């Protein structure tokens, strides 16, 4: 296991470095540049040149990247002139809010998707399976911004039972103090996740229901409910564990749309506003945080899967 962790950590480090290089190069190839975005349209060429020289933007991009990595190693993500605060401070204010929204939507998705997947597997090729599959495909194909707009229209206009805007508190405590405002963003972000997770649970459950240990359990006279819940479901959830780590990029992209739609002051909205204003330090900082979280999530999922699945342990011991 130790050797496996070392190899995976090395791969994770390489991926993070590649992500930062690609993002750094793409952002610096965009027209306009950080100087124009910071100083405005009225800035003269001399002012733009002075800004680029002061910030080091007139140097070769490789040298700029090395300087950026050196600052990262000292915990400095840069400074946002648009927000007039450090990138670390800006992300620190908004990251907990996005984590809460993502955690709530993921928990809701898991609670709903697992029973749906079990019903599909145990009633496969029957009307419950066909109905849930159709609804899952519809939810997966629906653009998340359209789904959010429909949620606002239905539950804030037609039936005014929920606020159309997410909590606007500055701190995490103020956001959590308004649970009603979190309902629509959480449900909107969870719908697509439910569609994906339920399909994975169904597929894994169908595979496990055809295994020999299930036939053995049935031959011993165990009830179908006990066979499904105590035996098949436990093994059928292993792919979902892996999916949890790999689904972080999609979850953040959904959060970007949901936070902008419901005016939720999180990482997604911060990234969107930074993209509109060409706030390069914020874009780089958020991309770095998301890439590290994605890599760590995938690593954690692999470790949990390898530790929990007896088949993986057997293959590792045999090798």
């Amino acid at each position: 296991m130790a050797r496996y962790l070392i190899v995976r950590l090395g791969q994770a480090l390489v991926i993070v470095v590649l992500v930062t290089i690609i993002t750094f190069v793409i952002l610096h190839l965009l027209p306009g540049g950080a100087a124009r975005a910071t100083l405005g349209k009225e800035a003269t060429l001399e002012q733009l040149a002075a800004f680029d020289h002061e910030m080091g933007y007139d140097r070769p991009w490789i040298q700029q990247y090395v300087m950026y990595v050196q600052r990262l190693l000292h915990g400095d993500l840069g400074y946002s002139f648009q927000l007039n605060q450090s990138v670390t401070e800006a992300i620190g204010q908004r990251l907990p809010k996005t984590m809460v929204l993502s955690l709530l939507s993921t928990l809701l998705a898991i609670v709903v998707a697992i029973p749906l997947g079990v019903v599909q597997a145990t009633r496969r090729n029957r009307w419950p399976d066909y109905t849930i599959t159709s609804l899952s495909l519809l939810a997966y194909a629906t653009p998340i911004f359209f789904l959010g707009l429909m949620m606002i229209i239905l539950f804030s206009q037609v039936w005014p039972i929920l606020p159309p805007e997410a909590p606007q508190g500055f701190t995490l405590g103020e956001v959590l103090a308004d649970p009603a405002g979190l309902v629509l963003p959480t449900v909107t972000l969870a719908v697509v996740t439910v569609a994906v997770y339920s399909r994975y649970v169904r597929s894994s459950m169908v595979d496990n229901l055809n295994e020999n240990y299930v036939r053995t359990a049935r031959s011993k006279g165990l009830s179908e409910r006990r066979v499904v819940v105590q035996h098949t479901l436990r093994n059928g959830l292993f792919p979902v564990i892996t999916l949890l780590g790999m689904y972080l990029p999609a979850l953040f992209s959904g959060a970007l749309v949901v936070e902008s739609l419901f005016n939720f002051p999180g990482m997604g909205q911060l990234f969107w506003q930074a993209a509109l204003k060409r706030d390069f330090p914020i874009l780089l900082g958020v991309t770095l945080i998301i890439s590290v979280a994605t890599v760590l999530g995938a690593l954690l999922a692999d470790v949990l899967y390898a530790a929990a699945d007896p088949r993986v342990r057997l293959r590792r011991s045999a090798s």
Side-chain angles (χ1 to χ4, degrees):
M1 178 64 75
R3 183 172 180 270
Y4 175 78
L5 286 176
I6 293 174
V7 173
R8 293 292 288 118
L9 285 173
Q11 294 173 347
L13 180 61
V14 172
I15 293 174
V16 171
V17 171
L18 289 177
V19 169
T20 57
I21 291 176
I22 294 172
T23 306
F24 192 88
V25 172
I26 291 177
L27 290 179
H28 283 74
L29 289 178
L30 292 176
R36 178 64 68 184
T38 303
L39 300 179
K41 298 180 179 180
E42 303 300 327
T44 63
L45 294 179
E46 291 77 11
Q47 291 173 330
L48 296 177
F51 181 87
D52 287 338
H53 181 72
E54 180 181 356
M55 301 302 299
Y57 293 149
D58 56 346
R59 302 179 183 180
W61 72 268
I62 296 180
Q63 188 175 356
Q64 294 183 47
Y65 179 76
V66 172
M67 295 170 56
Y68 177 71
V69 172
Q70 290 175 345
R71 292 196 300 268
L72 285 181
L73 295 177
H74 291 85
D76 182 11
L77 294 177
Y79 189 84
S80 170
F81 291 96
Q82 302 286 347
L83 300 176
N84 197 25
Q85 63 179 161
S86 67
V87 176
T88 304
E89 182 181 356
I91 293 178
Q93 293 174 353
R94 294 162 176 82
L95 180 59
K97 303 172 188 178
T98 296
M99 291 178 62
V100 168
L101 179 62
S102 301
L103 179 62
L104 291 175
S105 64
T106 302
L107 291 176
L108 177 62
I110 292 175
V111 169
V112 176
I114 291 178
L116 291 180
V118 172
V119 170
Q120 287 181 272
T122 56
R123 301 290 191 273
R124 63 184 181 276
N125 298 328
R126 302 178 188 176
W127 70 265
D129 184 22
Y130 295 143
T131 302
I132 297 175
T133 297
S134 300
L135 293 176
S136 298
L137 292 176
L138 179 62
Y140 188 76
T142 303
I144 194 169
F145 70 88
F146 178 78
L147 181 63
L149 287 175
M150 293 302 298
M151 290 283 189
I152 294 175
I153 293 173
L154 289 176
F155 298 107
S156 295
Q157 304 299 323
V158 179
W159 301 296
I161 57 177
L162 292 171
E165 190 175 53
Q168 298 300 301
F170 183 77
T171 64
L172 182 59
E174 293 174 348
V175 171
L176 295 177
D178 184 16
L182 288 171
V183 173
L184 290 184
T186 301
V187 173
T188 302
L189 189 58
V191 168
V192 177
T193 311
V194 169
V196 175
Y197 285 3
S198 63
R199 297 300 297 168
Y200 271 83
V201 173
R202 178 195 182 279
S203 177
S204 181
M205 286 288 294
V206 168
D207 292 339
N208 281 274
L209 285 172
N210 294 323
E211 293 288 342
N212 291 330
Y213 74 89
V214 174
R215 287 192 287 268
T216 302
R218 287 170 175 166
S219 66
K220 291 181 179 181
L222 298 180
S223 64
E224 186 66 19
R225 180 177 180 180
R226 186 174 179 182
V227 170
V228 171
V229 175
Q230 295 187 4
H231 297 276
T232 313
L233 181 59
R234 182 175 57 184
N235 293 326
L237 291 180
F238 289 138
V240 179
I241 296 175
T242 304
L243 184 65
L244 286 174
M246 300 300 297
Y247 203 69
L248 280 176
L251 194 63
F252 175 73
S253 64
L256 190 152
V257 178
V258 169
E259 289 179 7
S260 300
L261 182 62
F262 291 95
N263 196 25
F264 186 75
M267 287 273 286
Q269 189 184 65
L270 176 67
F271 187 86
W272 174 250
Q273 292 175 347
L276 294 177
K277 298 177 182 178
R278 299 181 183 273
D279 195 342
F280 293 163
I282 292 291
L283 293 175
L284 281 171
V286 174
T287 303
L288 178 64
I289 296 297
I290 298 302
S291 62
V292 170
T294 302
V295 170
L296 292 179
L299 176 62
L300 179 61
D302 289 345
V303 172
L304 292 176
Y305 185 84
D309 193 343
R311 293 169 294 184
V312 176
R313 292 199 299 268
L314 288 175
R315 288 196 297 265
R316 189 168 59 243
S317 61
S319 59

